[in-house]
Each structure stands twice: as C-alpha cells, then as structure tokens.
Amino acid sequence: MDHKPPPPHVVVVGGGLGGLAAASALVNRGLRITLLESRPRLGGRASSFNDPKTGEMVDNCQHVSMACCTNLADFSRRVGIADLFRRESVITFLSPENRISRLRAGIGPAPFHLAESFLSANYLTWNDKLRVGYGLACLARNHDVRPGESFADWLWRHKQSVRTINLFWATVLVSALNERLEQMDVGHARRVFVDGFLLNRSGFQMELPIAPLGELYGARLETWLREREVEVRLTTGVRSIDCGDDAALQGVTLRNGERIPADFVVLAVSYDRVAGMLGETTLAGMPALAGLNRLESSPITGVHLWFDRPVCPFDHVVTPGRFIQWVFNHTAIQGRTATTSTSEDPDGGQYLQIVISAAYDLLAMDKTEIRDAVLADLVEMWPAARDASLVRWWVVTEHGATFAVRPGVDAFRPPQRTPIDGLFLAGDWTDTGWPATMEGAVRSGYLAAQGILDDLDRPARLIRPGLKSGVLAKWLLGRSSRPSVPPDPSRFVPQLDALNPADVAT
Ligand SMILES: Cc1cc2nc3c(=O)[nH]c(=O)nc-3n(C[C@H](O)[C@H](O)[C@H](O)COP(=O)(O)OP(=O)(O)OC[C@H]3O[C@@H](n4cnc5c(N)ncnc54)[C@H](O)[C@@H]3O)c2cc1C
C-alpha cells in the first residue's frame, strides 16, 4: 500500500494580526496548520472587550489604517473582511479656534496633490506654511540627518517653530507613530510623509472599520480559518519553543505541559515574551535577538463616551493643539453602510471614541481626571457637550500599545527567519521597515509564511508592493527608502545576559 507522508505541520503561536496573516497565507497549500492563542479570542492588540453593563463589543481602541497599507488591504480581501472597512477620502481638522479645514486630494499630481488643502488649512498662518513647506522639502530629500538624532532635534535644526511643531508635525506624527517627537526616529517620520502623503494621490486616505475589531479579526477570522481546516485553539498558552540538543526545532510545549510536535513554528507573540519562550540556550545562538531588550513600549489611551444626544457633528475630526488628538464618532461610523451616514443612534444618543497617542503624560492621571480633561476639550469644541448627559464611559490605557520608534530602533528588530531551521518570528516589532501598525504586523506574518514556503521549495510572493508612485513624485523623491541613518552604535550593545527568561512574563 502507498503511504503518503503526513503534511508538514506548521504551528503558529499567537493569534494577533502577525499570526493571523501567516496562517491565512498558508491555508490551502497542503499543510497542517495549528494556531495557538493564549487569550479566549483572536485579534491580539486589535480586538474588543465585552462591556459588562450592556454586553456590547467595545474596541480596545479605534484602529485606523491608510490606503498606503497595501498588505493589510490584501489580508482583508484574502479573509473576506474587506467589506467591513470604509474609505475616508477627506480628513477633517478642527483648529484650536474651532475653524474647520479639510485635507483632500486636489487637482495637482503627487507629490503636490495635497498642496491646495495645505495652503488653505486655517490652523496654520502663512508664515507657518512657509516653514512647514521648507521642512517637508528637506525631509523628503533626507536632508542632513544625524545618527541617533530625534525628529524634534531635526525639526529645530530645520527652522521649525513651536507653533509648526505643535500644530503640524506633532498632529500628523504622534498619532501615526505613537511616539513623542523628542524621542522619534527621523527615518520613520520621513516615511509617514513620503509613503502616506507624497508618493501617491490616495495614500493618505483613511480606512475605518465599520464593525467592532472583535468581529473583524475575532469571530470572522476564526470561522474563516476553521473552514479551511486550521485548528484554532484559544485559551491555549504556549510555555516554550522546544529545540533538541542539536538545536533542531521539535515543536512547542503548552502551559499545561502538552507537547505539540511541529515542522515549522511561527512565533508571533509580542517582543517581551520571546526571550522567556525560547530559553537562554536557544537565545544564545540567535544574535539577531540580542537587541530585543532595547525595544521599549509606548502607551495609547482610548476614551469611550456615550452621550444621551449628538455632540459631535463630524464622523471623525483631528484636533491640533489640544489634549485630545482624534475624535471618532462611532455612532456615525459603525451605524452606517458604505453609502449612508447617521450621527444618531436609534435612542438619539451618540458614542464617541477619543484617541490620545504617546499617552505618557496620562499614565500618572486617574481615569476620572482623564475623562474630565477630555470632556473639557469637547465642551470647548461643541457647546452641545455641555448640555449632554454622559450615560456611560470607559478609559482604556494600553501601556504596551506599540513598540516605541525611538531613534535607531530598526537596529534592534530581528528578521522573521531565525538561525533555527523551521523557526520563524512574526509581529509588528520584527524587521518590516514599518512602525508598529496592523500593516507592519501583516507584513511580518506574510514574510514568515514566505520563508516557510521557500523552505518547502514552493516559493510564493505574498508581500504586496506599495501603491504606485506618481511619475513626478518618483522623479522628485525616488522610491521611499528605509530609514537611511545608521543607528548610533553606542545604543546597540548586545546584552544577552539581560535577556533573562525569568525577567520576562509569559
Ligand atoms: C490602543 C492601540 C491602538 C492602536 N491603534 C492602531 C491604529 O490605529 N492603526 C494601526 O495600524 N495599528 C494600531 N495599533 C497597533 C496594532 O494593534 C498592532 O500593531 C498589531 O495589532 C500587532 O499585531 P501583532 O500580531 O504583532 O501582535 P499582537 O496583537 O500583540 O499579537 C500577539 C498575540 O500573541 C498572543 N500570545 C502572547 N503570548 C502567548 C503565548 N505564550 N501563547 C499563545 N499566545 C500568546 C497574545 O495574546 C496576542 O493575541 C494599536 C494598538 C493599540 C494597543
């Protein structure tokens, strides 16, 4: 009798977007796939919790994507959730004096398609605009970037004022990169402007989910994967990745002691869990992981407010120069289809979600203080907030929301392929060239899956290219580059002994 060898077994550890992207790209390729997730739900950091008072799914925080995130878009199409995003081609800004400006593509070709909106933005004076224009031109040309320098220092050296820094640069970048300008990598800042705002006419447009994250990346994904014979095991924490004495990959051991043999493992957990799961001996053979203990985290606060009546007249609004940074009108965003929009829920109330990125200053505040500071901003912006009653509220601060894009950070991010045959890493913190975003996480998962297919001699190109650059933009800016500045070598001193598994929570 002919005995066919069993299909290669791939174990994906972690059901965040990195792990989900890897698993989704490997289905229907004759592999046995097991996805292990320690929490009772998929989605990782992009997920929802159930409000115990109402049973409603509430997102941990609003997640926004941009049209330049081509791999996230590919993933959404692949797993059949693309219909749950809505494209916003106009971004609304409200100045500190409550004047409205809108960012939309005008008639000019990239990179000048946003010039008209920029020149008419009323939260900047003409003097501010000249300064910002000069700064943007220098940034696009990668002018005079010094190793280890923060973006704030670069801005000071490029004639930016306190006003332009606070009202323009911080407004765009603090939320895009979840970091303060004083500790932000210049290359990543440049990339946001070049990839997002300059190379392509539509790259800056926003993609907003019109369903809770828990439905997008949780329930829908789980069904999609199970239908394709992926064994999804929730509430299944992995304790360790197992390698033999010869450093050959054997599989994984669960927290309950169960051992699962595997031909390939994609370790798609957050960076602070990796050392504890690999163990000292394995780590010692992986110099690319020596920089992991140099990665740091940056917090994000999401404030959820349910009012008894409409307060905010917009679907979303960016608020330069305020304590709050973005307001999302969830009643309007999630209560609509691709063609309709309503600012009221059936009871006449409104659910707003306020996002504050790089929320370091909020860590010392209690939740009521944060709520009151947010309400004070809302009342200044919309008098209706003064009369409205707050029916319910949540303040959710994710301390480790993303890894921090500190100067030179890319030197500490390991590639997806490891020196151990069959063991791959995934997660937004791995080397993708992207900051900690859903796009970065999906890219990492695709790169890990590509590595597995290469090893099986079934190469496939999973990574999607970026949006096509406009002809003029390409000529003026060249291709978007990875951060071009080498890190300050003094920041990168491998400290293997500091990666003590005992110090790392699993
Ligand atoms: C508040 C907040 C707001 C954000 N806003 C945006 C945004 O607007 N736009 C954007 O693009 N990105 C945003 N992000 C970032 C985005 O959510 C992440 O970049 C992305 O979800 C990371 O996915 P990941 O797979 O790399 O990691 P994770 O989502 O952290 O996934 C890792 C998974 O591994 C699991 N795990 C850990 N240990 C084990 C174990 N021992 N065994 C089994 N499983 C384990 C975890 O439970 C988790 O599910 C935001 C993040 C936060 C927290």
Side-chain angles (χ1 to χ4, degrees):
M1 232 169 48
D2 228 12
H3 282 293
K4 273 217 309 215
H9 186 198
V10 182
V11 170
V12 179
V13 182
L17 278 164
L20 291 170
S24 71
L26 291 172
V27 299
N28 296 338
R29 294 181 191 267
L31 303 170
R32 181 180 154 216
I33 305 169
T34 305
L35 177 69
L36 306 171
E37 165 56 50
S38 57
R39 296 189 207 178
R41 51 174 174 70
L42 297 176
R45 275 171 278 157
S47 55
S48 314
F49 60 93
N50 278 334
D51 186 333
K53 288 186 202 131
T54 60
E56 189 185 336
M57 249 191 217
V58 178
D59 291 345
N60 61 347
C61 188
Q62 173 74 47
H63 274 57
V64 178
S65 168
M66 289 168 78
C68 60
C69 298
T70 48
N71 286 274
L72 179 66
D74 177 77
F75 169 75
S76 304
R77 284 191 297 272
R78 183 188 294 274
V79 301
I81 56 170
D83 60 320
L84 294 181
F85 288 88
R86 178 182 164 119
R87 175 77 60 99
E88 297 287 333
S89 51
V90 181
I91 303 180
T92 307
F93 291 70
L94 199 61
S95 77
E97 300 79 30
N98 287 351
R99 296 173 66 201
I100 300 167
S101 307
R102 301 202 198 265
L103 186 72
R104 54 161 71 89
I107 44 171
F112 300 114
H113 55 296
L114 298 174
E116 211 178 313
S117 291
F118 172 69
L119 292 175
S120 57
N122 54 29
Y123 56 93
L124 297 172
T125 63
W126 281 105
N127 188 15
D128 294 338
K129 286 172 194 167
L130 282 175
R131 278 182 197 278
V132 169
Y134 172 74
L136 277 173
C138 293
L139 189 64
R141 292 199 333 266
N142 229 344
H143 181 259
D144 188 16
V145 179
R146 298 179 184 165
E149 181 179 46
S150 75
F151 190 55
D153 286 341
W154 185 94
L155 287 171
W156 289 122
R157 290 198 300 104
H158 288 83
K159 303 199 181 335
Q160 298 307 300
S161 62
V162 173
R163 263 183 67 81
T164 58
I165 290 179
N166 286 344
L167 291 177
F168 179 78
W169 299 99
T171 299
V172 176
L173 290 170
V174 171
S175 46
L177 293 177
N178 190 32
E179 187 50 283
R180 290 169 162 160
L181 301 183
E182 308 88 76
Q183 38 194 34
M184 182 183 287
D185 182 81
V186 182
H188 278 285
R190 175 177 186 270
R191 187 158 197 162
V192 170
F193 280 102
V194 173
D195 281 5
F197 293 90
L198 299 176
L199 278 181
N200 178 284
R201 283 177 55 84
S202 59
F204 73 100
Q205 297 178 352
M206 286 194 302
E207 296 278 351
L208 295 179
I210 58 170
L213 294 169
E215 186 185 328
L216 274 181
Y217 304 131
R220 281 251 201 152
L221 250 293
E222 197 180 326
T223 308
W224 189 90
L225 289 168
R226 286 191 201 281
E227 280 172 0
R228 283 153 190 83
E229 294 181 1
V230 175
E231 186 186 359
V232 180
R233 292 178 65 178
L234 302 177
T235 330
T236 306
V238 171
R239 187 165 67 209
S240 61
I241 308 300
D242 302 330
C243 296
D245 292 338
D246 52 354
L249 179 71
Q250 295 177 332
V252 305
T253 300
L254 304 185
R255 286 178 183 151
N256 66 10
E258 180 186 338
R259 300 185 76 139
I260 304 182
D263 301 293
F264 295 95
V265 171
V266 179
L267 184 54
V269 299
S270 55
Y271 70 87
D272 54 344
R273 308 252 158 154
V274 169
M277 292 169 76
L278 289 175
E280 262 176 289
T281 323
T282 308
L283 262 185
M286 302 171 82
L289 295 196
L292 273 193
N293 62 340
R294 297 308 189 87
L295 291 179
E296 292 169 76
S297 294
S298 180
I300 300 181
T301 297
V303 180
H304 306 257
L305 303 172
W306 286 265
F307 291 100
D308 66 342
R309 66 194 76 179
V311 163
C312 163
F314 307 105
D315 285 6
H316 72 265
V317 66
V318 192
T319 57
R322 288 197 176 273
F323 174 75
I324 61 175
Q325 295 160 357
W326 281 80
V327 180
F328 295 94
N329 177 348
H330 264 242
T331 306
I333 295 167
Q334 299 204 340
R336 70 193 178 182
T337 64
T339 51
T340 66
S341 174
T342 164
S343 294
E344 289 185 27
D345 70 17
D347 305 323
Q350 196 178 58
Y351 166 27
L352 302 183
Q353 211 189 108
I354 287 83
V355 180
I356 303 169
S357 298
Y360 297 101
D361 293 340
L362 278 64
L363 297 178
M365 295 169 73
D366 71 34
K367 292 184 178 193
T368 327
E369 269 182 283
I370 296 174
R371 179 203 63 189
D372 291 346
V374 168
L375 284 173
D377 263 352
L378 296 187
V379 166
E380 277 187 25
M381 294 189 320
W382 303 303
R386 193 186 306 275
D387 302 325
S389 295
L390 189 59
V391 181
R392 241 168 357 118
W393 59 279
W394 284 97
V395 172
V396 184
T397 297
E398 296 264 359
H399 291 241
T402 66
F403 74 83
V405 284
R406 303 273 160 88
V409 68
D410 284 346
F412 311 134
R413 301 170 70 185
Q416 290 72 31
R417 180 180 285 283
T418 74
I420 296 177
D421 264 353
L423 176 61
F424 290 83
L425 303 171
D428 58 2
W429 51 275
T430 60
D431 183 10
T432 63
W434 277 69
T437 49
M438 297 182 284
E439 168 74 7
V442 168
R443 279 174 178 254
S444 74
Y446 278 4
L447 287 167
Q450 266 182 206
I452 291 174
L453 294 172
D454 281 348
D455 286 0
L456 290 168
D457 281 332
R458 302 180 211 166
R461 178 132 181 99
L462 299 169
I463 285 283
R464 308 309 306 159
L467 292 177
K468 204 163 179 299
S469 306
V471 179
L472 186 59
K474 204 161 157 184
W475 183 65
L476 288 173
L477 303 166
R479 292 196 167 278
S480 170
S481 55
R482 292 178 59 102
S484 57
V485 184
D488 176 354
S490 65
R491 289 176 56 87
F492 186 52
V493 184
Q495 291 189 340
L496 270 179
D497 54 350
L499 281 175
N500 177 358
D503 295 339
V504 182
T506 56

